[in-house]
Amino acid sequence: MTSFFLLAQAAHPELGWLSSKLLGVTLGSAEWVLWLLVILSVLSIAVMLERAVYFSRHRLPNSEALAVRLARGEFDAVSAEVKNQKGMEAAVIREALASASQGPDTVEQVIASTVARERPQYERFLSLLGTLGNNAPFIGLFGTVLGIIKAFNDLGAMSAKGGAMQQTVMAGISEALVATAVGLAVAIPAVVAFNIFSRQLKTLTSRTTSLGHALVGAMKARKPGAAGGN
């Protein structure tokens, strides 16, 4: 790193102390930015796969049919069907039915509490995808800026003219732009995945709420004392 400082000061003696120090830092290789983006890309893909598996395993494929059965008052049958199921919908049904004897008002509170408890499990790591989608292009742009600074510094230190000079500039800039391209390649899939999972979570929450409304509505429609079972 010290050699970069000395090189910057030797090449630009008119620069101030701080400018020379900063230029010396930026004249280093920007390849570390590419490695950082590659690591972030692998992490992003791992999160996408993990979330896809989690969402697919923690949902009820027949929630609409269960909502109809709950509205009909078939509590015992629905309870048996979701006994070994995973996910927010199954948890809401199980805990709501377990507290059905305490009345509709208590069941509504249990449903809201269960949704609030289960939702963070689906939101886990989604903030990472959102952060990568928003900031990976800037990381790539930072690598590009470093590359362009180095390319123009090399150009200023060259004694060649004409075609050789142009070739040096174009090669340096094209190499620097790779970082921006890689940054976009990391960001775009992350943004798409974040939007997809957020939409799935919104749909899942709506389906869970529908199940809860069906259960509470059936309980309120039933005679007092008959809310514990069919």
Side-chain angles (χ1 to χ4, degrees):
M1 187 64 69
T2 304
S3 62
F4 286 133
F5 294 156
L6 296 176
L7 177 62
Q9 289 180 331
H12 304 278
E14 71 280 1
L15 293 178
W17 180 86
L18 181 58
S19 299
S20 299
K21 295 294 185 182
L22 293 176
L23 181 60
V25 173
T26 58
L27 289 179
S29 175
E31 187 174 358
W32 65 270
V33 176
L34 295 178
W35 281 108
L36 175 60
L37 289 172
V38 168
I39 294 173
L40 293 177
S41 177
V42 173
L43 181 61
S44 176
I45 293 173
V47 170
M48 293 178 200
L49 294 176
E50 190 275 338
R51 288 292 85 189
V53 172
Y54 186 89
F55 271 77
S56 63
R57 291 182 176 180
H58 291 75
R59 62 186 298 272
L60 291 177
N62 58 339
S63 64
E64 293 83 0
L66 291 178
V68 173
R69 296 175 67 180
L70 285 174
R72 294 174 180 172
E74 301 176 9
F75 297 163
D76 294 334
V78 172
S79 179
E81 187 166 345
V82 302
K83 182 178 181 181
N84 297 319
Q85 297 290 335
K86 299 179 181 179
M88 182 191 302
E89 299 160 296
V92 164
I93 293 175
R94 282 194 301 267
E95 299 194 20
L97 289 176
S99 61
S101 60
Q102 301 178 34
D105 293 337
T106 300
V107 170
E108 289 181 341
Q109 296 299 321
V110 169
I111 291 173
S113 175
T114 305
V115 170
R117 186 193 68 219
E118 294 289 328
R119 186 182 177 91
Q121 300 299 321
Y122 293 86
E123 294 176 334
R124 186 174 55 182
F125 302 135
L126 293 187
S127 60
L128 176 61
L129 292 178
T131 300
L132 286 179
N134 290 328
N135 294 286
F138 293 105
I139 297 175
L141 180 60
F142 178 67
T144 296
V145 171
L146 292 180
I148 291 177
I149 291 174
K150 188 175 185 303
F152 278 97
N153 182 79
D154 294 341
L155 176 63
M158 286 183 60
S159 60
K161 297 182 179 180
M165 180 179 296
Q166 182 178 3
Q167 182 178 1
T168 301
V169 175
M170 293 300 101
I173 293 178
S174 62
E175 182 179 353
L177 290 174
V178 171
T180 298
V182 175
L184 292 174
V186 174
I188 293 174
V191 171
V192 172
F194 176 81
N195 291 335
I196 291 175
F197 291 131
S198 297
R199 180 62 183 174
Q200 288 183 357
L201 178 56
K202 183 178 180 180
T203 301
L204 183 66
T205 304
S206 298
R207 293 169 59 177
T208 303
T209 303
S210 176
L211 289 168
H213 288 329
L215 173 59
V216 173
M219 291 179 61
K220 291 182 177 179
R222 299 182 68 170
K223 296 180 181 179
N230 190 22

